[in-house]
Amino acid sequence: MKLVMKFGGTSVGTGKNIRHVADLVAQYSTEGNRVAVVVSAMAGVTNHLIEVACQAKKSDEKHIEVFARELRQKHLEAISTAISDKSVQKEASEIIEKTISELEKVLIGISYVGELTPKSKDYVASFGERLSAPIVWGAIRDQKAETQFFTGKEAGIVTDSNFGEAEPLMNFTTHLIRERVGPLFEKGIIPVVTGFIAANQDGVTTTVGRGGSDYTATILGSALGADEVWIWTDVEGIMTADPKIVPSAKMLPELSYQEAAEMAIFGAKAMHPRALEPVIEARIPVRIRSTMHPKNPGTLITEMEKTKSSSAVKAVALIQNVAMVNVSGAGMVGAPGSYARIFDTLGRNGINIMMISTAASEANMSLIVKRNLLGRALSTLEIALLGKGVVSEITSAEDVAVVAVMGANMKGTRGIASKIFATVATAGINIIMIAQGSSELNISFVVKEKDGAAVVKAIHKEFRLDKI
Ligand code: ADP
Ligand code: ASP
Ligand code: MG
């Protein structure tokens, strides 16, 4: 089989784990499969890089030096456990040293300029994968397998310039990946590619959004004509709820692309929301499976028409780090194009709307956006809409979370919404906003952030998802 395997942050979180990853890769590769590997940053590193980049605006060289020292130590330690061959160790260590001194210079540059642009933020964020992938590459070499290391840019992933959430230009990307990675993959050499990072057409580093290594894997899978893409992670597969919130959550053995996409869009972390796009058209199955329990088959995501499960509701997710924007004005009533102007303004500024709800009175629209984009959303909307006779007020709330209840068989099943809302009411929790897409695959609503986990638990229990 032709396999693209992506290993997430926890899977490459320590030298020991990286060794285990290399064992898995070597095992599947010697079993007659062709394997390409996509690697995330070591757990926590991307968050840390972004924090430090934000602080670098205000901080001094000493602070940056301490951070760089710790980062260097973490990665060199991982090398010493993950790789035994001394010459491979040396080669990997040299890459780490060189990459970290580049990072230090970038951070010092930011601290001098006193400004962090989305472009420089992406550049800093890219270092996590640039540091982890060479270690995985070294550990695979240590297994005597033939392998070659690529950054996303070197592999040929070209995106637009929407820094922070860049979108791959698929035709161009597919062509380049086939040209650069294809030949060696076909020969049985294992390409190791940094997840998450790519470059725009001018060669400037971009990232495809947080959690984006999943996306890199499916882009690569589609370009290389993989038989399956495997997302190795720290849970058994996609589950009925985040097991960190509901410990009794059950693994879902099979999901349709549509269901999984719905869950990825709303399921917060389990998979990057756009990761299924490249594989749907090519009908490449995706498997989510556990690095720590590699014998378990995990969740298989395919094109299946009708789900076998009889349960209408399959999963419930909590989406945090969101914010609500309310746009209102009596002038919006019966005014054609007023909604369009809201969407257009946000769209042109690269702000994705996650959820919408409007009142039949037409005097109000509520939108959910990512919390880190709230400031930008408000300022662009205020400039475009206020004082022009249509919109009179724009307000926002940050302490909110979205709860999404999902399942393909919800379509056409009566009484689901009433059961959900009765459950929330019985838990004594107020619902702020509601939306159901016409796909009927999901019902989502907004509650106060502090109530989110309790709502998820109550719904999981009410729909007996632990017995699914
Ligand atoms: P990785 O670093 O491997 O990409 P992520 O942290 O991005 O892993 O995603 C895996 C995490 O997603 C799990 O540890 C789990 O807490 C969370 N998660 C949220 N919802 C779900 C769900 N429905 N099923 C499985 N995992 C979920
Ligand atoms: N390292 C990136 C992040 O933390 C990408 C990923 O892990 O998929 O968002
Ligand atoms: Mg992830």
Side-chain angles (χ1 to χ4, degrees):
M1 281 220 287
K2 289 191 201 177
L3 297 170
V4 172
M5 298 189 179
K6 174 257 171 177
F7 293 92
T10 316
S11 307
V12 297
T14 62
K16 187 165 165 255
N17 288 4
I18 293 180
R19 217 184 158 86
H20 174 60
V21 162
D23 279 343
L24 278 174
V25 170
Q27 178 204 322
Y28 280 102
S29 157
T30 48
E31 282 169 3
N33 302 295
R34 264 170 267 156
V35 181
V37 176
V38 173
V39 185
S40 284
M42 291 175 81
V45 170
T46 310
N47 282 347
H48 216 153
L49 283 164
I50 292 174
E51 264 166 44
V52 170
C54 293
Q55 286 164 4
K57 287 196 291 190
K58 310 172 252 175
S59 67
D60 50 22
E61 290 187 29
K62 185 92 203 103
H63 193 94
I64 293 168
E65 205 183 295
V66 172
F67 169 68
R69 194 186 316 135
E70 284 169 8
L71 199 65
R72 185 181 289 116
Q73 197 179 345
K74 181 183 177 87
H75 288 84
L76 293 179
E77 248 172 54
I79 289 180
S80 65
T81 319
I83 307 172
S84 16
D85 184 305
K86 290 287 173 227
S87 72
V88 180
Q89 261 191 9
K90 184 161 172 282
E91 225 176 301
S93 305
E94 279 167 6
I95 299 177
I96 300 300
E97 295 287 358
K98 204 165 143 247
T99 311
I100 292 195
S101 58
E102 184 186 331
L103 170 66
E104 254 178 304
K105 287 190 199 116
V106 176
L107 290 172
I108 290 170
I110 294 171
S111 80
Y112 275 113
V113 181
E115 185 187 47
L116 181 68
T117 60
K119 189 171 170 178
S120 44
K121 197 169 168 185
D122 264 7
Y123 190 40
V124 174
S126 76
F127 280 84
E129 275 72 10
R130 286 177 58 192
L131 290 168
S132 62
I135 310 180
V136 175
W137 166 73
I140 295 173
R141 268 179 73 187
D142 215 31
Q143 303 279 337
K144 307 284 171 271
E146 263 197 280
T147 167
Q148 192 171 326
F149 169 69
F150 294 85
T151 61
K153 173 176 162 180
E154 289 162 350
I157 305 177
V158 183
T159 66
D160 62 14
S161 299
N162 187 17
F163 295 99
E165 264 331 308
E167 197 173 319
L169 309 173
M170 273 315 281
N171 290 341
F172 193 22
T173 296
T174 302
H175 170 75
L176 290 181
I177 292 177
R178 284 188 185 155
E179 200 174 76
R180 295 177 184 179
V181 185
L184 62 114
F185 179 63
E186 293 300 335
K187 268 197 262 170
I189 299 170
I190 303 167
V192 174
V193 183
T194 59
F196 181 51
I197 58 180
N200 69 8
Q201 281 170 292
D202 299 326
V204 179
T205 301
T206 55
T207 67
V208 296
R210 294 305 308 273
S213 300
D214 302 332
Y215 202 5
T216 306
T218 54
I219 292 167
L220 209 67
S222 124
L224 294 174
D227 295 303
E228 284 189 14
V229 174
W230 291 358
I231 313 267
W232 294 92
T233 184
D234 59 358
V235 278
E236 298 287 302
I238 294 188
M239 315 192 64
T240 50
D242 185 343
K244 291 186 185 119
I245 299 175
V246 185
S248 63
K250 284 274 169 322
M251 203 265 288
L252 296 159
E254 270 189 313
L255 286 173
S256 67
Y257 286 126
Q258 232 189 343
E259 282 177 310
E262 204 84 12
M263 291 187 62
I265 292 163
F266 285 97
K269 279 193 79 186
M271 201 195 332
H272 184 281
R274 308 196 56 183
L276 289 170
E277 285 173 20
V279 288
I280 288 178
E281 203 178 323
R283 300 179 187 175
I284 301 170
V286 175
R287 209 178 265 284
I288 316 281
R289 56 194 309 177
S290 157
T291 324
M292 288 306 142
H293 302 100
K295 295 232 156 26
N296 294 2
T299 301
L300 182 66
I301 304 168
T302 59
E303 204 195 3
M304 62 187 192
E305 275 297 303
K306 188 78 188 156
T307 54
K308 284 176 203 148
S309 155
S310 58
S311 6
V313 169
K314 277 199 177 167
V316 51
L318 180 66
I319 302 101
Q320 283 158 307
N321 296 317
V322 295
M324 182 168 66
V325 179
N326 298 306
V327 181
S328 50
M332 285 165 71
V333 181
S338 52
Y339 291 170
R341 283 179 62 192
I342 298 175
F343 299 149
D344 185 49
T345 305
L346 293 175
R348 272 189 289 108
N349 287 285
I351 298 160
N352 181 41
I353 304 171
M354 299 169 73
M355 189 175 155
I356 310 163
S357 144
T358 57
S361 74
E362 296 181 33
N364 172 287
M365 174 181 271
S366 302
L367 310 158
I368 295 289
V369 295
K370 282 202 179 146
R371 200 173 291 166
N372 61 350
L373 297 177
L374 177 64
R376 200 154 102 207
L378 290 176
S379 61
T380 51
L381 286 173
E382 281 162 5
I383 292 167
L385 304 175
L386 283 183
K388 302 201 171 143
V390 178
V391 170
S392 57
E393 195 180 31
I394 301 174
T395 59
S396 65
E398 285 195 68
D399 57 340
V400 295
V402 178
V403 177
V405 184
M406 292 159 291
N409 296 343
M410 277 166 68
K411 193 174 170 69
T413 309
R414 272 170 299 168
I416 304 277
S418 70
K419 194 162 158 188
I420 292 171
F421 298 132
T423 308
V424 182
T426 311
I429 290 163
N430 181 40
I431 294 177
I432 303 168
M433 168 181 167
I434 299 174
Q436 172 178 330
S438 59
S439 70
E440 288 186 52
L441 294 178
N442 117 29
I443 293 176
S444 3
F445 54 93
V446 176
V447 293
K448 285 270 186 213
E449 192 168 33
K450 66 174 175 49
D451 296 328
V455 172
V456 167
K457 284 187 185 128
I459 292 176
H460 199 272
K461 190 160 177 233
E462 182 63 31
F463 285 89
R464 302 170 63 87
L465 295 181
D466 53 342
K467 303 276 180 325
I468 203 163

